């Protein structure tokens, strides 16, 4: 599934992105997968960092993600 519009990067260089199929990925600064979360619904959104927490909207809901 294609990656949604934007990739988010935290202060440690970790990358966060979502796919249209509803999977959210985290990669470290070397491109190694840290984790994958399946939201169970499709989304056109992308993860956003705010106040040290990672958020994404999908299926009309807002999810707070943490690793």
């Amino acid at each position: 599934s294609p990656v949604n519009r934007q990739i988010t990067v935290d202060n440690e260089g970790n990358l966060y992105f979502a796919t249209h199929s509803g999977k959210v990925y985290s990669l470290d600064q070397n491109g190694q997968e840290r984790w994958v979360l399946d939201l169970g619904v499709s989304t056109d959104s992308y993860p956003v960092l705010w106040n040290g927490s990672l958020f994404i909207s999908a299926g009309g809901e807002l999810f707070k993600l943490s690793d």
Side-chain angles (χ1 to χ4, degrees):
S1 185
V3 172
N4 293 344
R5 303 170 224 153
Q6 186 170 332
I7 296 173
T8 301
V9 182
D10 67 16
N11 292 337
E12 297 175 1
N14 297 310
L15 308 174
Y16 304 92
F17 61 92
T19 64
H20 182 70
S21 64
K23 290 187 179 178
V24 182
Y25 291 83
S26 175
L27 306 178
D28 67 18
Q29 60 270 24
N30 297 315
Q32 297 297 310
E33 186 177 287
R34 297 175 61 220
W35 50 261
V36 177
L37 177 64
D38 189 346
L39 298 174
V41 294
S42 64
T43 183
D44 290 327
S45 298
Y46 50 87
V48 174
L49 283 168
W50 183 75
N51 240 11
S53 296
L54 189 67
F55 296 88
I56 190 167
S57 64
E61 298 186 42
L62 180 64
F63 294 89
K64 180 180 180 183
L65 311 174
S66 62
D67 53 354

